[in-house]
Structure formats: C-alpha cells, structure tokens
C-alpha cells in the first residue's frame, strides 16, 4: 500500500495517465486519478464477465461460492465509483445487508445451465 511506501499499480499505465508515484503517495483524487481508475474498473468488469462464463462450467456445488464472490467484487467496484474514486481515504466495502442479499442471487445463478450447453441447444 502507498502508506507503506509501496505501489501495486501498473507503472506504465500510471505514467500514461500522467500520474507519478508522488501523486499516489499524496493520495489526492484528481481528474487524472479518476480517469485512471475508470480504466482499471472497466478492465476489472471485463475480467468478471469472462469469469462468469467460466463459472457456469464448474461443478454445480462449486458455483455458488464463486458466484457470490464475483457479485461482491462487482459491488466493491460500484462502491469505488460511488466514493468518487477516492480509494485513498475511503474504504470501498459491501455492507452486511448487501452481502446477505447477494447470496440468493448467487445461488440462483449457480443453477443456470453451463454456457457451453446453452449455446449448443437449438
């Protein structure tokens, strides 16, 4: 973490966004930071979409916890956006109520047919 003098962000993309290590250590949300974070969140959502296709191919008993994780991680991205991309001083987290509500949704998705079977049906 930046507070410990470490940055775990792609240096090339930080530079491309016009951000330096010093900007990260300052921890100030700027338009450059927002643009950088929007790009990271967009990429994360693309990975989640790919992962969702793969989840349906898992054994049925393994799907529910993976679906729950994907839903919760997506909600964390939503929280970062709701916090105006301020993940320097605001923690993006999903409250207990939202976590509990995600469980039946995840269970319902775990019952879906695998993508490979859905695409082959006529």
């Amino acid at each position: 973490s930046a507070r410990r003098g470490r940055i775990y962000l792609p240096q090339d993309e930080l530079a491309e966004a016009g951000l330096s290590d010093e900007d990260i250590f300052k921890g100030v949300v700027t338009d450059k930071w927002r643009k950088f974070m929007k790009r990271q969140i967009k990429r994360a959502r693309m990975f989640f979409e790919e992962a969702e296709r793969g989840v349906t191919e898992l054994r049925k008993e393994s799907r529910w916890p993976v679906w729950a994780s994907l839903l919760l991680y997506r909600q964390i991205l939503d929280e970062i956006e709701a916090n105006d991309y301020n993940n320097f001083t605001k923690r993006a987290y999903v409250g207990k109520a939202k976590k509990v509500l995600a469980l039946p949704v995840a269970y319902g998705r775990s019952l879906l047919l695998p993508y490979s079977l859905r695409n082959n049906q006529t």
Side-chain angles (χ1 to χ4, degrees):
S1 89
R3 280 183 234 160
R4 294 187 196 125
R6 298 185 195 121
I7 297 176
Y8 300 105
L9 297 167
Q11 292 294 308
D12 58 332
E13 293 179 31
L14 283 172
E16 191 177 301
L19 294 163
S20 66
D21 290 355
E22 290 74 31
D23 293 321
I24 306 305
F25 292 135
K26 286 178 191 172
V28 177
V29 177
T30 62
D31 286 341
K32 287 179 182 179
W33 177 253
R34 286 183 190 94
K35 185 177 178 182
F36 172 80
M37 283 304 299
K38 285 177 186 178
R39 184 176 175 187
Q40 301 305 311
I41 288 172
K42 182 178 179 181
R43 179 188 300 141
R45 286 191 172 125
M46 284 174 34
F47 288 142
F48 287 153
E49 285 172 23
E50 286 179 32
E52 286 177 6
R53 286 191 287 275
V55 173
T56 65
E57 304 298 330
L58 296 173
R59 290 173 33 205
K60 248 185 185 175
E61 59 273 12
S62 301
R63 292 182 204 161
W64 187 17
V66 178
W67 268 117
S69 298
L70 283 170
L71 289 172
L72 294 175
Y73 287 133
R74 278 182 175 273
Q75 289 179 3
I76 289 172
L77 297 179
D78 295 341
E79 291 298 319
I80 293 171
E81 289 174 329
N83 289 341
D84 193 31
Y85 306 96
N86 183 1
N87 45 348
F88 294 116
T89 59
K90 292 184 181 179
R91 185 170 168 254
Y93 68 95
V94 179
K96 286 182 185 176
K98 282 186 178 180
K99 285 180 185 175
V100 170
L101 290 173
L103 293 177
V105 174
Y107 183 73
R109 290 188 181 181
S110 73
L111 301 176
L112 294 173
L113 274 175
Y115 273 98
S116 59
L117 293 179
R118 278 187 265 165
N119 294 335
N120 291 331
Q121 289 184 340
T122 53

